[in-house]
Amino acid sequence: MWYTFDNDDLILSLRIQPKASSNELAEIMGEERKLRITAPPVDGKANKHIIALLAKMCKVAKGDVTIESGELGRNKRVRIRSPRLLPDGVEPPASA
């Protein structure tokens, strides 16, 4: 599963494709989901772009999105604190 919940937090396992033509969540690849972003993987620009994009997608502040692992690679684990809106393909936890 490419996503999980930790209490109210959403944890995403993502495979980043930088310098794409558009920003979008794409196909599921095993335990990860591809995230295409337009930013280049230079000087942390891609990570800042990912945080801003996911914050907007989930309607939270940028400070509520953290990259927990994979800051320097394409495979990233991202935590979104108490998302107000879930990304496409994410089902709310059964207890909600």
Side-chain angles (χ1 to χ4, degrees):
M1 184 67 76
W2 62 276
Y3 68 90
T4 187
F5 285 91
D6 179 18
N7 295 317
D8 290 335
D9 294 356
L10 174 61
I11 313 268
L12 303 177
S13 294
L14 301 171
R15 170 86 177 159
I16 308 303
Q17 179 187 337
K19 297 196 296 186
S21 59
S22 63
N23 296 311
E24 64 179 342
L25 275 172
E27 66 271 9
I28 296 169
M29 304 166 54
E31 297 291 309
E32 297 175 318
R33 184 148 184 201
K34 185 179 279 188
L35 176 64
R36 293 186 177 114
I37 60 168
T38 56
V42 178
D43 298 331
K45 287 181 183 175
N47 288 340
K48 288 178 186 166
H49 191 86
I50 290 164
I51 289 169
L53 179 64
L54 291 173
K56 185 177 179 182
M57 198 179 284
C58 295
K59 300 203 180 296
V60 297
K62 287 187 233 179
D64 290 333
V65 179
T66 53
I67 296 175
E68 292 193 328
S69 65
E71 267 194 37
L72 299 178
R74 288 180 184 238
N75 298 342
K76 299 189 187 294
R77 180 180 161 148
V78 181
R79 177 180 294 264
I80 302 166
R81 276 187 227 99
S82 302
R84 290 192 206 124
L85 184 66
L86 297 176
D88 288 340
V90 174
E91 294 294 324
S95 62

